[in-house]
Every structure is written in C-alpha cells, then in structure tokens.
Amino acid sequence: MKKKIAIIIERANIALGGAERSVFELATALSAHGLEVDILAAKGQTNAKNIHILCQEQQGKRTCYFTFAKALREHLAENRYCLIHSVLPFDFADVYQPRGGSFAESILRNAASYQNKLTASYKRMTAFANFRRTILLRAERKLCKNPDGPIVAALSEYVAEQFKQHYGLDDRRLMIIPNGIKINKRIDTGRADKLRAQILAQLGLKEADEPVLFLFTANNFRLKGLAVLIKAMQLASRRKTSRQAYLIVAGNGKTHKYRRLAKKLNVHRKIVFLGAVRHIQNALSIIDAAVLPTFYDPSSRYILEAIAAGKPVITTKFNGATDLFVNDRHGKVIDCAENIPELAEAISYFTNTDNIRKASEAIAADNLEEKISISRVAKQLISVYNNL
C-alpha cells in the first residue's frame, strides 16, 4: 500500500502565484515517487479527487486561520494520513515548509523595500495592524517554541537562518531542502518568435542591432526592486559597452510610477512593459539574461526558471535561490538591492557576448537544471518523511 500524505495550502489555485504552483508541482513529483498525495485547501476551484476544499462556504477570498484549522482537524479526524505536510504554520503538522520564508523576516524586508527610513520604520511599527499576518506570525513563533512541533523544511539557507535568528529554532528541527521547479517545460517557438518581434518593434530595433535583452518578472514591483533596476539601467547606459542593454518588464504590477521614473531618467526608450506573461518559458527563450534585484525572496522560482532555460541571472543575497548557482560563474549576486552601482556593473558585464556565453555554458556543464528539479526536492522530502 502506498504511503498517504496530506499537503496543506490555503488556496488550491495555481493562477494565484508561485507558492500555489510549487505545491501542485511537488504533489505531482511525490506521486511520481510512489506516494499517495492529497491536497487540503480552504478555498479553490477544482474537481480533482485528491484535492479537498474544506472552507468553500466561507465568504471572502481568504479564510480565517482558526476557521481553517478547525476544518483541518475535522478532516484529519475522519481521514488517515501517514504524514501531514503544511505550508501554513499549523503545529499539528509533521513538516512545516513555509513557501514565503518566515513571517518575521518578510515584515522587515517588506519595510526595507520602501527605501525610506521613516516609511520603513512606520511599516515595521504598523505591521501588526494586519490582523491576519499577526495571527500567522504568532502561530509560527508558537510552532517554533514548541519542542514537539514539526520539522521546518527551509527552502534555502537564507530561510533557515531566519528561523534561527528570529525564533531561536534548534538546528535539529531544521532541514534545508532547496527550492525546485518542474524542468523541461515546452517552448512554443512560434509564440516566442512573435513575442521577440513585438519587443524589438516597441524598442524600434532590428536584429542587426544586436540588443541585449534583460527580463525582469514579478507582480510586486516594489518588493522585487524594479525602481532600483530602472536607476541601474540609467547608470549602465552611460557606460561604453559593445552591445546595448534593454529591459523587458513582465508581471501584473501597476506600471504608472515606473514608467514616470523611466521617463524622468531618460531610459524609457530602453524599457518595454509587457504586462502579464502566461508562459514565462517562452519569454525566457528569447532574452539574454534574467534580473531580479529583490529586497526579499525566500527562493525565487523565476530565477530558477531562468537557470533551467540556460540564462545567466542577476539577483541579490536576499534571494534564497542563490544557493543553487555560483556567483561570478552562472550569474551575479548583488549585496543588496539598493546598491545601484553594483547592479549597473552586473548589467554591463552581461552586455558582453562572451560573458553571456560563458555563463550559459557553465550552467549546462554544471548540470544546474537537474539540481533545481522538483524531482530532487521530492526525493529529499521523502527522506525527511521516512526519518520522522
């Protein structure tokens, strides 16, 4: 008989973001390794037999933590599982895998992303005005203080350090299982070529101009560092390079103030705002490098997807995805998003054709694609499960 496990997530809808998509990819990978996996969610739109929606009758997009906890306990009392894996801080789980890192660190880094000392201080002080976030933070702290609480499966070394620093979590309850993604995704070359032609037309360029296209993808443009990236583009444009850098911005974020900033800095002709991109692998196939100067990311799926596509990456040390590639070999790691000169230098570095080629060849030679595979994550988690 297959070992049956439950994975707890608040909303069973991959359209909502990377955390939801990751859980579904993980469930599929665990199933491929012989486990029977049920997903327990408060809300969601699905008819899949292995997905149980427990609070659909509740009003609103989000579900109260305590309401969901009660529904989960009732479901678990009636259904037997060998192991409970949760991405929310429920202390009755066996494994807690926080997709967003620790709530304590996310509050601090979100405040820092405003890049203003007074605003950052205000955001830190008022963080507890958000009732839902406060409940989750307290639940996470309680989970860590409970000596019989679950194993914490951290997505990166950065996340592991958060739990030690903010909650004093014992190393014996910490496991680092680096993030992973589904690899070998299909590329629609026809749509990809059409997208590249559209981008070049918007920039007023031809292929003969040999532009270097940098792709930035996010929904929270402030937290992921778009403003500093635009400023770095201005600084990089002043440098003498063999090829010119251009920035492609993809995502659902509001663009008005970033368009104004680009125009103010006179780099608006070097930037294209695409809006939401449904198939990121198509976009990655037609650009030269990925850039994400994030203020906070437990382990960015986007950076891992770029590596899987063989593209050099630029990000910050506040991104746990840096565990999975080597600085100055596969990409560049900036000490912080606010370091605009260092970011501009990294952009300029990858306007050199040889530097792009060397990084791409190193990604292939070091087999990074396999290292970031969700199958590797599943194998590591199964090892944790077997030792509980």
Side-chain angles (χ1 to χ4, degrees), residues 53-303:
I53 309 301
L54 307 182
C55 304
Q56 197 73 290
E57 72 286 353
Q58 298 292 321
Q59 297 296 313
K61 294 181 180 179
R62 311 304 291 259
T63 304
C64 169
Y65 172 86
F66 299 109
T67 300
F68 190 23
K70 181 181 178 182
L72 283 167
R73 290 184 187 279
E74 290 174 354
H75 177 87
L76 295 173
E78 297 173 1
N79 298 269
R80 291 180 62 86
Y81 295 98
C82 297
L83 185 136
I84 310 299
H85 176 139
S86 180
V87 301
L88 292 171
F90 292 115
D91 58 8
F92 52 78
D94 299 292
V95 173
Y96 173 44
Q97 188 184 43
R99 304 299 310 182
S102 71
F103 287 100
E105 182 76 1
S106 67
I107 289 169
L108 294 175
R109 296 308 302 163
N110 179 67
S113 71
Y114 285 89
Q115 300 177 70
N116 177 290
K117 289 184 178 179
L118 288 176
T119 305
S121 178
Y122 172 78
K123 290 293 179 179
R124 287 194 298 271
M125 288 188 296
T126 58
F128 294 99
N130 183 316
F131 179 73
R132 174 182 171 76
R133 184 166 51 201
T134 301
I135 292 298
L136 291 168
L137 173 64
R138 288 174 177 171
E140 188 171 74
R141 182 180 292 118
K142 179 183 175 184
L143 175 152
C144 292
K145 297 298 183 185
N146 178 2
D148 298 319
I151 292 291
V152 175
L155 292 180
S156 60
E157 291 184 17
Y158 176 35
V159 172
E161 286 302 315
Q162 294 172 28
F163 276 82
K164 288 191 280 188
Q165 177 184 347
H166 296 302
Y167 306 127
L169 188 65
D170 193 301
D171 283 333
R172 289 171 293 184
R173 284 184 55 203
L174 261 175
M175 294 294 297
I176 299 174
I177 301 180
N179 202 12
I181 59 167
K182 181 181 178 182
I183 59 175
N184 300 321
K185 292 182 179 179
R186 188 178 66 85
I187 296 170
D188 186 325
T189 54
R191 290 188 177 183
D193 291 343
K194 185 177 179 180
L195 179 61
R196 183 174 174 90
Q198 171 195 330
I199 289 169
L200 293 182
Q202 286 185 250
L203 291 169
L205 299 171
K206 303 182 294 294
E207 290 291 356
D209 295 316
E210 295 188 313
V212 179
L213 302 183
F214 290 83
L215 180 64
F216 168 95
T217 298
N219 290 324
N220 187 334
F221 289 164
R222 170 185 46 76
L223 185 64
K224 305 303 180 177
L226 181 54
V228 292
L229 178 54
I230 292 171
K231 293 173 185 176
M233 282 293 294
Q234 181 203 36
L235 192 55
S237 68
R238 297 173 182 171
R239 300 169 184 263
K240 289 186 178 181
T241 55
S242 55
R243 297 169 65 188
Q244 290 294 304
Y246 295 85
L247 177 62
I248 315 304
V249 177
N252 282 320
K254 295 179 180 179
T255 64
H256 304 296
K257 75 173 186 177
Y258 300 102
R259 291 177 186 271
R260 288 197 300 270
L261 176 62
K263 193 163 188 178
K264 177 183 177 182
L265 298 178
N266 198 31
V267 290
H268 55 291
R269 293 183 180 88
K270 288 180 169 286
I271 302 175
V272 171
F273 291 87
L274 285 182
V277 174
R278 186 174 180 183
H279 299 292
I280 194 63
Q281 61 270 23
N282 289 345
L284 283 166
S285 73
I286 53 94
I287 57 93
D288 297 282
V291 57
L292 192 73
T294 182
F295 283 85
Y296 180 65
D297 215 315
S299 185
S300 165
R301 281 181 58 89
Y302 167 56
I303 289 299

Side-chain angles (χ1 to χ4, degrees), residues 214 229 232-233 236 245 291 314 342-351:
F214 290 83
L229 178 54
M233 282 293 294
V291 57
I314 302 171
E342 189 180 5
L343 180 55
E345 179 63 34
I347 291 168
S348 298
Y349 179 84
F350 284 119
T351 57

Side-chain angles (χ1 to χ4, degrees), residues 12-60:
N13 184 349
I14 61 173
L16 292 171
E20 290 78 10
R21 185 176 298 276
S22 290
V23 166
F24 277 82
E25 289 182 359
L26 176 62
T28 300
L30 289 169
S31 296
H33 286 282
L35 298 185
E36 184 178 347
V37 182
D38 278 5
I39 293 176
L40 312 183
K43 298 287 184 69
Q45 300 293 328
T46 179
N47 294 318
K49 291 182 179 179
N50 71 317
I51 300 176
H52 303 273
I53 309 301
L54 307 182
C55 304
Q56 197 73 290
E57 72 286 353
Q58 298 292 321
Q59 297 296 313

